[in-house]
Amino acid sequence: MDAGSSGTRAYLYSWPQHSGDPHQLLKISPLLMDGEPMVKKVSPGLSSMGETPDNAFEYIRPLLMFASENIPRDKHKETPLYILATAGMRLLEKEAQEAVLSNLRKGISENFEFYFPDGHLEIISGKQEGIYQWLSINYVLGKFEHKDHASANEELVAVEPASGHSSSPGSELVFRPRTVGALDMGGASVQLAMEITTNLQLEGMPEKDKAQVAEINLGCLEHDTEHTYRVFVTTYLGFGANEAIRRHERTLLLENSILMNEAQGLNTDKRLKDPCRPLGMKDNSTVVLDKENLKVPSNIKDALSESQTVHFYGTGEWETCFSQIKNFTKEEDKFQGCAESCPDPGMRPPPIQFDNSEFYGFSEYWYSMDDVLGLGGQYMFKKFKEASKEFCSTRWHLSWAKYLQGSFPNSDVERLTTQCFKSVWVTAALHQGLLFPPGYGHLTSAPNTVHGQVVHWTLGALLYRTRFFPLRYGIFH
């Protein structure tokens, strides 16, 4: 189960008996129904239980029922259950985190028989999430195949083993398929992961970046250079699409209020103009303010409440929106201070060699490009910008009418209302934050399935956490 910031999803996987060939990894595949992977979701996120942790087990129960109905009963005891939580839970305070987790542990052990030791329930770091996403796309694309098993047209690269693994320099070059980088934007954070293939590339990196390199052995033997990968992985907390919207709305409210010397947008007569909303869209949003840590004049602060309903009016101006939010990636929030579980102060650009790299973009990179605009697949900045611009500047009532007629079958109301902002935000994060060149042509946005296989990070988590299974087949018997 992936307990994300906006919902928890249960994924079911199975694997056949292992061949016993140490060169081969487990063949993990999703359980299918009508050719589609079986997935069930509950909303909102597990982190919404922070205030009422005693309800955490009841919240997740429907997912456990879904799993127990679809996994043969005689297999329950030997089926490992993992519940891994991400950025939403990372933003909760420690005490609240612990209360939610202990309620889950208790409820599950009393009501279900799955194999669920303590280590199977945790809040994973952004770094782990990035690594799991990287593992999962490369696994599905066949990039972890041993050279004897790789497909004929696969480009092989020579990878230098990490220092300390080889007896003499150059003696142990491993030839294997070139891996791809993974870029993932969720609701609360952004992850990027890519392989470092040469020692030279590593040596050229600043110390801060070197500290972000993780060594991952996917093989079932401890010293398996053939399946050991050095992966640079970084995570940016607070730069996911939903957190960016919250920051934008808060900034808009406070900036305008300071400018006018009175709080704006607090009623429907005085709507707050927002260039990042479609033209003519009128809606309201709850802006959460941590008043204790707000850096604004006291007359403004006094006019606002901790949780403020703000009325907006969309002006649908892509360029203005972009100029307002592009600096989010470079600087801390100027109005909202923070004491605990804080977002990162900015996005430090990663050391990517753009001339010989390839990336796949997931989650928000797919939804923002495909759900409304139908531009999933190869990302082209100009084309995407034009389509986004057109969507933002089209009168809202026209887009809404098209939606009601079924023109956007992959969208829901929330997607449609946030599409203008999110399409600008993924562009800003990509080109201002991560410094991808505008002409970069090797980024593919990908849905949750590629080649009919789930490429969700949960697959990578399983792959990594079950890597010793081939050696201890029969662990439960």
Side-chain angles (χ1 to χ4, degrees):
M1 295 188 192
D2 155 23
S5 58
S6 56
T8 300
R9 290 180 177 84
Y11 293 84
L12 310 180
Y13 296 98
S14 69
W15 52 86
Q17 196 93 14
H18 186 259
S19 64
D21 175 351
H23 291 315
Q24 292 200 305
L25 305 178
L26 281 183
K27 295 265 180 262
I28 299 179
S29 56
L31 291 193
L32 303 175
M33 183 179 270
D34 305 326
E36 282 295 304
M38 297 173 72
V39 181
K40 186 174 172 68
K41 178 183 180 182
V42 291
S43 299
L46 180 61
S47 48
S48 67
M49 297 288 127
E51 304 282 312
T52 53
D54 293 349
N55 300 344
F57 171 68
E58 283 310 321
Y59 155 88
I60 219 161
R61 188 198 283 270
L63 298 182
L64 291 154
M65 294 302 295
F66 163 73
S68 64
E69 285 157 14
N70 289 292
I71 294 168
R73 184 148 294 281
D74 61 333
K75 293 265 197 261
H76 285 201
K77 275 198 164 88
E78 64 185 81
T79 299
L81 161 66
Y82 294 94
I83 300 177
L84 304 179
T86 59
M89 286 290 285
R90 294 201 284 272
L91 287 165
L92 281 188
E93 295 185 0
K94 282 277 180 284
E95 227 168 279
Q97 290 179 358
E98 219 19 80
V100 169
L101 299 184
S102 67
N103 181 266
L104 283 183
R105 262 190 210 106
K106 184 171 174 293
I108 293 170
S109 62
E110 287 171 4
N111 294 279
F112 291 90
E113 290 197 307
F114 298 119
Y115 177 61
F116 189 57
D118 274 2
H120 283 203
L121 170 65
E122 60 171 312
I123 298 169
I124 60 172
S125 66
K127 204 164 177 173
Q128 282 169 292
E129 194 183 339
I131 287 170
Y132 293 156
Q133 183 62 75
W134 181 86
L135 287 172
S136 123
I137 180 63
N138 283 291
Y139 176 71
V140 166
L141 293 174
K143 303 295 188 184
F144 295 144
E145 297 285 354
H146 185 243
K147 64 176 183 294
D148 301 344
H149 300 292
S151 62
N153 59 357
E154 185 67 69
E155 176 198 6
L156 296 179
V157 289
V159 177
E160 292 181 82
S163 49
H165 281 289
S166 92
S167 45
S168 61
S171 65
E172 292 284 330
L173 279 182
V174 177
F175 287 87
R176 60 186 181 203
R178 181 194 288 280
T179 58
V180 300
L183 182 58
D184 194 347
M185 181 186 287
S189 65
V190 173
Q191 278 73 239
L192 178 138
M194 61 190 188
E195 187 184 2
I196 303 294
T197 53
T198 66
N199 295 332
L200 192 67
Q201 195 182 348
L202 192 66
E203 284 151 19
M205 281 159 59
E207 287 307 315
K208 258 186 166 172
D209 286 343
K210 281 184 193 162
Q212 302 279 75
V213 176
E215 193 165 297
I216 301 150
N217 175 7
L218 272 188
C220 52
L221 306 171
E222 280 300 344
H223 302 290
D224 181 342
T225 50
E226 168 198 332
H227 283 121
T228 297
Y229 294 84
R230 282 178 293 179
V231 179
F232 171 86
V233 56
T234 186
T235 182
Y236 304 100
L237 188 59
F239 291 88
N242 298 336
E243 288 297 317
I245 285 186
R246 287 182 196 126
R247 178 173 171 184
H248 166 64
E249 291 182 344
R250 199 167 55 229
T251 306
L252 208 56
L253 169 69
L254 299 169
E255 242 169 16
N256 275 292
S257 301
I258 290 168
L259 204 65
M260 303 290 188
N261 204 20
E262 60 165 334
Q264 300 286 301
L266 304 192
N267 57 45
T268 48
D269 303 335
K270 263 200 190 149
R271 286 184 177 273
L272 192 52
K273 287 198 170 109
D274 181 6
C276 304
R277 278 173 158 75
L279 179 60
M281 182 172 97
K282 293 178 180 173
D283 70 331
N284 61 47
S285 179
T286 305
V287 175
V288 178
L289 303 166
D290 174 6
K291 282 183 73 172
E292 200 183 331
N293 294 306
L294 267 193
K295 307 174 204 167
V296 295
S298 53
N299 67 317
I300 306 291
K301 198 186 278 199
D302 295 343
L304 300 166
S305 41
E306 283 284 324
S307 171
Q308 181 69 56
T309 301
V310 182
H311 300 271
F312 290 99
Y313 177 80
T315 59
E317 301 160 288
W318 196 99
E319 300 286 359
T320 312
C321 174
F322 186 79
S323 67
Q324 282 186 9
I325 64 179
K326 68 174 188 194
N327 289 335
F328 283 9
T329 61
K330 304 268 195 282
E331 55 202 31
E332 287 184 54
D333 193 319
K334 54 185 168 191
F335 296 124
Q336 185 75 77
C338 172
E340 195 188 343
S341 298
C342 300
D344 291 323
M347 292 176 77
R348 220 162 55 84
I352 304 172
Q353 297 182 330
F354 289 108
D355 49 353
N356 64 353
S357 62
E358 183 184 350
F359 279 86
Y360 275 71
F362 297 96
S363 308
E364 202 48 65
Y365 277 101
W366 169 258
Y367 309 136
S368 290
M369 291 175 195
D370 203 70
D371 285 2
V372 172
L373 305 177
L375 289 177
Q378 194 195 1
Y379 168 76
M380 289 183 284
F381 169 64
K382 273 194 171 133
K383 195 173 174 183
F384 179 62
K385 179 182 170 178
E386 282 314 309
S388 306
K389 228 174 174 169
E390 187 177 331
F391 177 82
C392 292
S393 62
T394 298
R395 288 207 161 270
W396 173 244
H397 70 87
L398 298 174
S399 300
W400 183 246
K402 277 174 77 172
Y403 169 69
L404 294 178
Q405 288 157 10
S407 292
F408 306 115
N410 296 331
S411 288
D412 55 17
V413 176
E414 197 219 359
R415 168 58 44 193
L416 212 63
T417 52
T418 56
Q419 173 66 32
C420 177
F421 174 88
K422 287 178 175 176
S423 63
V424 179
W425 177 243
V426 297
T427 306
L430 193 65
H431 301 294
Q432 300 288 121
L434 301 172
L435 299 186
F436 272 69
Y440 187 76
H442 304 285
L443 169 64
T444 303
S445 68
N448 264 343
T449 51
V450 170
H451 305 324
Q453 283 261 44
V454 173
V455 286
H456 189 262
W457 65 258
T458 49
L459 173 67
L462 269 190
L463 197 62
Y464 186 68
R465 285 162 182 250
T466 57
R467 68 190 186 284
F468 297 124
F469 279 22
L471 287 189
R472 47 175 210 206
Y473 240 83
I475 163 181
F476 298 108
H477 302 301

